[in-house]
């Protein structure tokens, strides 16, 4: 290997260096101006929320509302502009920033000369209820905790000051204190609700701006959800205690006032929130995911009755985040209406299903993206996230995902594929074509046991007297089947017979004598048979014969047929996404460590393909040292990596990439004897590729211009509807009911998205159809089965070492990350190292703990490890 080629970045000149045009100065200046504006607005918004519980913040808000409430929007418009307007303004500026930036994010970036720590990649907390928490996330948690304590303290002092102004008996003061405290806790919960829906807007322009992928944002939603529900529960509990002391509990719970707070809608909203909260804890999500999923659809009830409970102007405090969520939810609904072609479906013996999905050429994603998948034959409501296992450079018209069979939904998917493969294969192979007249019929395959025809090398060992009579050598001739005409004489070459001492042998007359039946070991080149004593039967070499099921047990499933599946049975799938990081950060490190556990290798297959394809095509690619650490339970999972052919992707990748792989098989102490049988595909279904059935590009992470127009038009439409409603209905008819105005306000939010945003989506869809019509489905979409190795997978022995990469398989051991990071530090030196982990929480904690320990005790010449988690855990 050329040392100079490996230790020199690809961007530093050379024949493979890629040169790009410099960004114009005015473009860079405009981007900086947009960033500064967004930061100023965001800091001002957060400061206002922090100050709002104090008297100064309350007076400031009242002055602003009095100055602006004279418009057609009234006090509701003023409150919306203060608390939700900044979110909309930042979203508009973010759209402009994304459109200007285009896709030049990582193409021109070079590795920094001096390694440095980063808040987002330095793990601070590695154990505990929050999981692995980076320094930036820890700062956010501290700020929220400080805000909660500050708000509770400030409101408590204001309550005491307010009650001291009136001469109220002590008992009445306690009751009033309870009620005022419940009111203040509800307001704090409403301020937290302003943030709650921001992380779950999957394709939100805000998440794309700060490059927080949805799988990370869900953690923030979980944290905020727990905090918000604690505050709302205490809010309701304090009021219930107060009403119970006063003896009017039932009356107040059922009260539905026109002017003021309507209690009964609040009770319904709180009950819906409690049901979602009770089923959102990790044990319930892990063992009863369907219960968690279905109860979480009560968010509609929660939001609607919250608007009825507090009215329009109070609801407008949290309306900004809810509106962005409605935008994202409607766009997801439009994208998921299209059924997507599943080009192939394969079931691996390691308990994994591979699906290859059809996609349009203009749907962009990166190797760290993921899709939400729905299979309608299994459920019309359930959506499950899966990381992509293919690089976007592998093909324009397809993308693949690997699905580990772990729960009920994945088990049903595997069983459905197997059952359909069996039913399709019953058609069987086409009938044999009769030979032409005058030709002998073809020989039939041997009739008898063929248990040991799969081995190339065999050893036969006998002790005593054995009648096994192994036959080593070429197979014996096979007699013709009963009723077939005798075979003709062998073909003679034209010309005189050969001269020599022996005359030519005349062809035999009459039918040949019967031959003994063929043995089951006729196709071995090297054979070992172990026999002891006297054996009257043929030695059992090869896989054991099938064992009959116990009496009374259900019949076992027969093995799937290997015949082509004609006609194929489709899987009706729908897809939402892709989602994930806006920037593929795996391409921004020269040195990478990929740590996977089990099916966690799936996104790393996409990363490796992406790196190798970029090297092969001469594109910008920083990684030059890649270390893979993969822990699996059993060796049958090795088929996931053994089917990855590096040389076919980039034949000379070793000139530019140093790739090492360490695989730890934790529950086996030695390799199995029959690895050839372990790495075969159990079932495979290949479907045709009709046009027009690929994924839809109607996604927030898709075209920046269209998604921006969708957000802007929906927001403008919402404002127009509110204005028209006030001018034509609310003000002329003197509508004053709080709950009714809250319902109308929420209806305007939904109407703005459906009417104005839906119009943009319609044009977006037409643009997509025209773009797809211009695309020709060429070889890439048709050869997807070759690209994805669909069908029976040929086993590639990953233990064989070559000059291009080093692979080591260790049985009966677990990865020692202290040793791994220590040896890596000595080998790579003072550089930035990106560590990407995809696996269970215990694996993430182990890696994060070692990175934190190494960072705290590192020396000046050691590398800096940057922790990235790519695990999706709902």
């Amino acid at each position: 290997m050329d040392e100079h080629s490996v230790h020199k970045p690809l961007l530093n000149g050379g024949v493979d260096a890629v040169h790009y045009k410099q960004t114009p100065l005015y473009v860079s200046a405009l981007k900086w101006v947009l960033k500064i504006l967004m930061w100023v607005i965001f800091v001002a918004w957060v400061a206002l929320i922090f100050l709002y519980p104090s008297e100064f913040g309350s007076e400031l808000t009242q002055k602003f509302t009095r100055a602006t409430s004279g418009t057609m929007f009234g006090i509701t418009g003023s409150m919306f502009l203060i608390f939700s307007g900044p979110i909309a303004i930042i979203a508009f500026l973010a759209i402009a920033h994304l459109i200007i930036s285009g896709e030049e994010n990582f193409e021109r970036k070079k590795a920094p000369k001096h390694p440095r720590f980063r808040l987002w990649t330095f793990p601070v907390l590695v154990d505990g209820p929050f999981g692995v928490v980076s320094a930036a996330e820890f700062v956010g948690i501290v700020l929220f905790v400080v805000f909660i304590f500050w708000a509770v303290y400030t409101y408590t002092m204001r309550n005491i000051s307010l009650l001291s102004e009136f001469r109220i008996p002590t008992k009445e003061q306690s009751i009033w204190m309870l009620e005022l405290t419940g009111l203040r806790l509800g307001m704090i919960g409403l301020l937290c609700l302003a943030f709650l829906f921001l992380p779950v807007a999957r394709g939100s322009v805000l998440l794309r701006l700060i490059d927080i992928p949805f799988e990370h944002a869900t953690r923030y939603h979980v944290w905020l959800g727990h905090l918000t529900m604690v505050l709302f529960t205490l809010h309701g509990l304090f009021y219930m205690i107060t009403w119970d002391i006063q003896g009017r509990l039932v009356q107040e719970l059922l009260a539905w006032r026109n002017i003021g707070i309507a209690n009964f809608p609040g009770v319904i909203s709180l009950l819906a929130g409690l049901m979602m909260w009770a089923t959102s804890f990790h044990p319930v999500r892990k063992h009863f995911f369907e219960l968690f999923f279905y109860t979480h659809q009560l968010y509609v009830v929660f939001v609607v009755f919250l608007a009825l409970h507090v009215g329009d102007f109070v609801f407008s405090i949290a309306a900004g985040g809810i509106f962005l969520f409605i935008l994202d939810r409607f766009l997801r609904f439009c994208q998921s209406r299209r059924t997507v072609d599943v080009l192939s479906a394969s079931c691996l013996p390691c308990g994994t299903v591979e699906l290859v999905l059809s996609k349009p050429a203009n749907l962009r994603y990166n190797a760290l993206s993921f899709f939400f998948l729905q299979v309608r034959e299994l459920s019309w409501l359930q959506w499950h996230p899966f990381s992509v296992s293919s690089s976007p450079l592998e093909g324009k018209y397809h993308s693949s995902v690997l699905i580990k069979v772990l729960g009920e939904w994945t088990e049903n998917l595997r069983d459905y594929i197997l059952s359909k493969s069996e039913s399709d294969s019953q058609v069987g192979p086409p009938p044999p074509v009769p030979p032409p007249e005058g030709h002998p019929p073809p020989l039939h395959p041997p009739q008898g046991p063929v248990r040991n025809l799969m081995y190339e090398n065999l050893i036969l060992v006998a002790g005593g007297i054995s009648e096994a009579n192994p036959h080593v050598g070429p197979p014996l001739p096979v007699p013709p089947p009963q009723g077939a005409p005798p075979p003709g004489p062998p073909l003679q070459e034209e010309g005189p017979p050969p001269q020599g001492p022996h005359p030519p042998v005349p062809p035999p007359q009459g039918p040949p004598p019967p031959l003994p039946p063929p043995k089951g070991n006729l196709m071995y080149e090297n054979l070992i048979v172990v026999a002891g004593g006297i054996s009257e039967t043929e030695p059992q070499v090869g896989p054991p014969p099938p064992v009959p099921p116990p009496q009374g047990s259900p019949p076992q499933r027969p093995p799937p047929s290997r015949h082509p599946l004609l006609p194929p049975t489709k899987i009706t799938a729908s897809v939402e996404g892709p989602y994930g990081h806006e920037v593929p950060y795996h391409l921004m490190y020269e040195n990478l460590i990929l740590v996977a556990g089990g099916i966690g290798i799936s996104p790393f297959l996409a990363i490796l393909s992406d790196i190798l394809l970029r090297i092969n095509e001469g594109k910008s690619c920083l990684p030059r040292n890649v270390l893979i650490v993969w822990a699996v339970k059993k060796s049958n999972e090795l088929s996931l990596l053994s089917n990855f052919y590096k040389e076919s992707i980039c034949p000379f990748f070793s000139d530019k990439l140093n790739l090492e792989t360490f695989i730890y098989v934790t529950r086996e102490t030695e390799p199995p004897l029959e690895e050839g049988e372990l790495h075969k595909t159990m079932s495979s279904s290949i479907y045709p590729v009709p046009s027009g059935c690929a994924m839809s590009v109607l996604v927030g992470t898709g075209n920046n211009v269209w998604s921006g127009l969708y957000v802007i038009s929906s927001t403008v439409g919402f404002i127009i509807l509110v204005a028209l409603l006030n001018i034509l209905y609310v003000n002329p008819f003197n509508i004053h009911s709080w709950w009714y105005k809250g319902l109308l306000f929420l209806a305007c939010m939904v109407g703005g998205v459906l009417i104005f945003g839906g119009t943009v989506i319609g044009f977006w869809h037409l643009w997509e159809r025209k773009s797809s019509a211009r695309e020709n489905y060429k070889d890439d979409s048709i050869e997807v089965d070759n690209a994805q190795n669909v069908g029976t997978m040929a086993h590639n022995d990953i233990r064989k070492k070559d000059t291009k990469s080093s692979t080591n398989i260790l049985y009966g051991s677990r990865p020692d990350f202290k040793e791994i990071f220590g040896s890596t530090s000595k080998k790579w030196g003072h550089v930035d190292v990106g560590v990407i982990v995809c696996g269970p929480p215990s694996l993430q904690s182990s890696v994060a703990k070692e990175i934190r320990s190494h960072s705290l005790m590192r020396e000046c010449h050691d590398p800096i490890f940057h922790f990235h988690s790519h695990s999706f855990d709902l």
Side-chain angles (χ1 to χ4, degrees), residues 338-372:
R338 174 179 296 182
T339 57
V340 178
D341 278 334
V342 178
L343 305 182
S344 74
S346 303
C347 297
L348 308 182
C350 58
T352 303
V353 175
E354 182 187 34
L355 298 181
V356 182
L357 306 171
S358 176
K359 79 172 192 68
N362 58 346
L363 182 66
R364 68 181 187 92
Y365 70 98
N366 61 60
L368 290 167
S369 299
F370 65 93
F371 296 104
F372 274 81

Side-chain angles (χ1 to χ4, degrees), residues 440 486-492 506-510:
L491 298 178
Q492 301 291 334
Q509 302 294 327

Side-chain angles (χ1 to χ4, degrees), residues 184-467:
R184 305 304 190 185
L185 290 173
M187 179 55 66
I188 299 173
L190 203 61
L191 294 174
C192 293
L193 188 65
F195 295 89
L196 180 62
F197 284 88
L198 293 177
V200 288
R202 300 175 187 173
S204 170
V205 65
L206 299 182
L207 296 182
R208 295 179 60 193
L209 175 68
I210 55 182
D211 195 23
I212 295 181
F214 179 63
E215 66 267 26
H216 289 183
T218 51
R219 302 174 64 206
Y220 312 147
H221 174 73
V222 172
W223 300 344
L224 287 169
H226 289 314
L227 177 61
T228 304
M229 285 311 303
V230 166
L231 293 170
F232 280 159
T233 303
L234 292 176
H235 162 72
L237 186 61
F238 274 65
Y239 269 103
M240 291 176 64
I241 294 174
T242 301
W243 296 334
D244 185 61
I245 293 174
Q246 295 175 345
R248 51 193 182 98
L249 176 60
V250 177
Q251 178 184 354
E252 289 293 338
L253 288 178
L254 300 178
W256 193 317
R257 301 180 182 89
N258 288 328
I259 306 299
I261 301 297
N263 294 338
F264 187 65
V267 172
I268 297 176
S269 178
L270 182 59
L271 289 176
L274 289 174
M275 292 180 65
M276 290 189 291
W277 188 29
T279 57
S280 65
F281 289 94
H282 185 265
V284 180
R285 298 199 313 268
K286 182 178 181 180
H287 300 288
F288 305 97
F289 180 81
E290 291 187 4
L291 179 63
F292 156 75
F293 180 84
Y294 290 129
T295 54
H296 240 62
Q297 308 310 311
L298 294 174
Y299 73 86
V300 178
V301 178
F302 175 80
V303 171
V304 171
F305 282 89
L306 177 65
L308 298 175
H309 173 58
V310 298
D312 56 341
F313 72 94
V314 179
F315 181 77
S316 63
I317 295 176
I322 297 175
F323 183 72
L324 288 182
F325 175 77
I326 295 174
L327 282 169
D328 177 75
R329 189 64 191 88
F330 180 64
L331 191 58
R332 285 160 44 197
F333 173 81
C334 294
Q335 186 191 24
S336 63
R337 292 309 89 197
R338 174 179 296 182
T339 57
V340 178
D341 278 334
V342 178
L343 305 182
S344 74
S346 303
C347 297
L348 308 182
C350 58
T352 303
V353 175
E354 182 187 34
L355 298 181
V356 182
L357 306 171
S358 176
K359 79 172 192 68
N362 58 346
L363 182 66
R364 68 181 187 92
Y365 70 98
N366 61 60
L368 290 167
S369 299
F370 65 93
F371 296 104
F372 274 81
L373 180 66
Q374 177 203 66
V375 178
R376 297 184 179 180
E377 285 78 6
L378 305 182
S379 173
W380 280 75
L381 296 177
Q382 291 192 40
W383 293 82
H384 296 266
F386 300 104
S387 299
V388 298
S389 59
S390 60
S391 167
L393 300 178
E394 286 187 35
K396 293 181 179 180
Y397 305 106
H398 74 271
S399 180
S400 63
V401 295
L402 291 174
I403 302 172
K404 182 69 173 180
V405 179
L406 293 174
E408 182 179 355
W409 188 89
T410 52
E411 289 178 357
N412 292 338
L413 176 63
R414 178 196 57 192
D415 294 341
Y416 179 79
I417 294 174
L418 292 177
S419 63
K420 289 302 178 183
S421 299
E422 292 173 5
S423 61
D424 293 340
S425 63
Q426 290 177 359
V427 178
V433 180
E437 186 176 357
H439 288 71
L443 293 179
H444 290 261
Q447 306 294 321
V450 289
R451 294 186 298 273
N452 43 18
L453 303 183
M454 303 283 298
Y455 297 90
E456 297 180 359
N457 304 282
L458 291 172
I459 300 176
L460 309 181
V461 179
I465 302 175
S466 174
E467 298 296 331

Side-chain angles (χ1 to χ4, degrees), residues 461-471 519 521 529-539:
V461 179
I465 302 175
S466 174
E467 298 296 331
N469 190 24
H471 180 89
K519 298 290 184 180
N521 45 21
V529 176
V530 181
I534 301 177
S535 174
E536 297 294 334
T537 60
E538 186 182 28

Side-chain angles (χ1 to χ4, degrees), residues 493-504:
E493 297 182 0
E494 296 182 0
Q499 301 295 326
H502 301 285

Side-chain angles (χ1 to χ4, degrees), residues 31 54 92 184 187 192 228 275 282 361 369 404 476 478 511 525 561 564 579 647 724 737 763:
K31 289 169 59 178
S54 65
F92 292 168
R184 305 304 190 185
M187 179 55 66
C192 293
T228 304
M275 292 180 65
H282 185 265
S369 299
K404 182 69 173 180
L476 298 176
V478 181
E525 296 179 1
S561 172
Y579 305 109
E647 293 79 6
L724 293 176
S737 297
F763 287 110

